[in-house]
Amino acid sequence: MVQDVRHEIKKSASLHGVALEIAGRGILITGASGIGKTTSAMRAMVSGYFWIADDLAVINKDSNGALIMTGHKKIKKYLHTEQTGIIEVNRVLPPSWIKSKTRLDGIIDVVRTDGEMVCYGMSEEEILEKRLPCFRISIPRTGYFNQNLLDSAAKKLHEVG
């Protein structure tokens, strides 16, 4: 007797991070809570970025296999910073700077280290069986992710395609 073995392909993932779009490319910023993801993203909005989601990004595959990123349905209308607490995104950003979804094209992963310098590295991460470029930024334990680091990482991700 031949056994029919079927593998269910995962079609959705939820990841802790901030989801943005710049120049038509979706970026997910990951890293520990309090490292500066949301604050950097908020400051970058004036540079032509679009806001997708704070804290929890939901990623789904579309019919063509592309990864589509949106916010979690229960919290996608909100963001949290030390300065504002939890607040509705549309009270902080103009509606024209907010999108409901974007294609996920790359990841910026921010980690704290015991080093004294900011270090960069390029790798790949797999999400839902799709490999994506990942720009890793290591910052000193006492440091924070900022808009300059975000802009540099977004530029590098754009260069690698």
Side-chain angles (χ1 to χ4, degrees):
M1 182 165 121
V2 176
Q3 190 174 16
D4 185 14
V5 178
R6 296 176 192 224
H7 297 283
E8 188 173 319
I9 297 173
K10 192 172 181 182
K11 295 181 182 177
S12 178
S14 296
L15 298 170
H16 172 74
V18 174
L20 304 172
E21 180 185 285
I22 181 165
R25 299 179 53 82
I27 297 171
L28 178 64
I29 307 168
T30 61
S33 294
I35 206 164
K37 300 179 302 292
T38 303
T39 302
S40 299
M42 293 296 295
R43 290 184 177 143
M45 292 296 107
V46 297
S47 301
Y49 287 64
F50 290 94
W51 184 265
I52 307 296
D54 184 37
D55 198 46
L56 192 59
V58 177
I59 300 149
N60 294 288
K61 271 189 176 179
D62 70 8
S63 59
N64 297 320
L67 300 181
I68 305 300
M69 180 170 56
T70 187
H72 187 277
K73 64 182 177 181
K74 291 186 178 180
I75 62 171
K76 66 183 173 184
K77 294 180 181 179
Y78 302 97
L79 65 86
H80 177 266
T81 69
E82 278 187 29
Q83 296 81 16
T84 64
I86 297 172
I87 190 168
E88 288 187 32
V89 177
N90 63 7
R91 292 188 59 201
V92 182
L93 298 174
S96 61
W97 295 2
I98 303 168
K99 289 189 172 187
S100 63
K101 63 184 177 180
T102 189
R103 186 182 73 225
L104 176 58
D105 295 302
I107 301 164
I108 299 170
D109 185 38
V110 186
V111 296
R112 284 201 168 110
T113 66
D114 291 328
E116 295 181 19
M117 307 245 336
V118 174
C119 299
Y120 306 97
M122 207 58 204
S123 64
E124 286 187 334
E125 292 291 328
E126 187 173 305
I127 298 176
L128 300 177
E129 300 180 337
K130 184 166 176 120
R131 301 207 53 82
L132 297 168
C134 178
F135 191 73
R136 185 157 285 116
I137 302 174
S138 300
I139 60 175
R141 192 149 311 278
T142 57
Y144 290 93
F145 184 60
N146 61 44
Q147 184 184 346
N148 290 337
L149 294 172
L150 171 57
D151 290 340
S152 296
K155 182 179 177 186
K156 185 67 174 173
L157 284 174
H158 185 74
E159 289 171 3
V160 298

